[in-house]
Amino acid sequence: MSSAVITIGREYGSGGRLIAQRVAEQLKIPFYDKEIISGVAKKTGLAESFIREAERHHTRSFIYDLYYSTQNLSISDQVFIAEAGIIKEKAAKGGCVIVGRCADYVLRDCKRLLRVFVHAPLDQRLRRVREEYGVQDKDLEDYVAKLDKKRASYYNFFTDRRWGDTHNYDLCINSSMGLDTAADIICHTARNREEHKDA
């Protein structure tokens, strides 16, 4: 079992979540994605659907500000803080793989951290979104672009970094090489870093 903490950011449709699951299975460590939302729901009492919506929209709205006026924090701020707390708790327990949610930034001081970003050519992403995710939007390219824009906007809002900027990651992988191959490379990198951490 690995002690590495691996964060995986990804373009929509790149297969990043699937790769993350395979990495966790190979390294025999926990995988966290939607589990973070469940944890926030338990901690805050908010509905999971409400939390998902807050993740998509970081800007303040009148209703959110009115509801949280006593704390001067929007719901998206509240959710981010709660998620960050849970992410840190999970990483403190040992090796794990965490997908999205600015985890690479939240855990930036973790010495066991391996920050990964998964990308892929647009045509392959569109095919995966249509065939594997079952999305039948009329303008699929626009649909994918909007989801990427939302991820970038959320990440850029809550960090002092730019989503997808190669300087923010230890490893950037083009998933067109195959999901298994991408997972193997991440696992190899994690194991190699553990073996040489004291060198």
Side-chain angles (χ1 to χ4, degrees):
M1 183 178 289
S2 174
S3 64
V5 174
I6 302 169
T7 59
I8 297 188
R10 74 278 185 230
E11 290 181 329
Y12 184 71
S14 65
R17 187 176 190 277
L18 298 172
I19 291 169
Q21 287 176 313
R22 294 176 194 197
V23 168
E25 288 169 8
Q26 280 193 46
L27 297 179
K28 297 180 172 55
I29 54 178
F31 166 81
Y32 300 114
D33 181 12
K34 295 176 183 176
E35 295 80 2
I36 304 293
I37 293 177
S38 302
V40 171
K42 289 176 184 175
K43 204 171 222 180
T44 63
L46 296 171
E48 290 188 18
S49 58
F50 195 63
I51 294 166
R52 285 191 203 94
E53 190 62 26
E55 286 183 333
R56 295 189 188 104
H57 304 285
H58 63 77
T59 54
R60 296 174 186 269
S61 75
F62 174 73
I63 293 174
Y64 286 164
D65 278 344
L66 186 65
Y67 187 74
Y68 283 98
S69 59
T70 57
Q71 299 172 0
N72 293 320
L73 289 174
S74 69
I75 186 64
S76 57
D77 292 332
Q78 294 281 317
V79 167
F80 178 79
I81 290 168
E83 285 185 343
I86 290 170
I87 287 168
K88 287 178 180 178
E89 287 173 12
K90 300 296 187 187
K93 290 179 180 177
C96 60
V97 179
I98 303 173
V99 175
R101 296 179 177 81
C102 307
D104 60 293
Y105 178 79
V106 170
L107 298 173
R108 60 194 179 278
D109 296 324
C110 176
K111 293 179 180 178
R112 298 174 288 121
L113 184 63
L114 175 62
R115 304 163 301 166
V116 179
F117 189 81
V118 179
H119 60 98
L122 181 60
D123 62 325
Q124 293 187 19
R125 294 166 60 204
L126 294 176
R127 186 171 65 249
R128 179 173 285 112
V129 169
R130 182 176 55 253
E131 296 175 3
E132 296 179 27
Y133 300 176
V135 177
Q136 299 299 321
D137 197 273
K138 288 181 180 178
D139 189 346
L140 203 55
E141 190 169 332
D142 183 62
Y143 176 84
V144 168
K146 282 180 179 176
L147 283 171
D148 273 351
K149 188 175 180 181
K150 284 182 180 179
R151 287 182 178 178
S153 182
Y154 185 84
Y155 184 91
N156 298 346
F157 182 80
F158 283 111
T159 76
D160 57 1
R161 303 172 182 179
R162 305 298 295 177
W163 181 81
D165 183 341
T166 58
H167 296 90
N168 298 330
Y169 309 96
D170 303 303
L171 186 62
C172 294
I173 293 186
N174 186 334
S175 62
S176 65
M177 66 179 66
L179 303 188
D180 287 331
T181 301
D184 288 344
I185 290 171
I186 296 169
C187 290
H188 174 77
T189 304
R191 291 182 181 118
N192 189 59
R193 288 182 70 178
E194 283 185 294
E195 288 173 7
H196 298 92
K197 62 183 176 182
D198 298 321

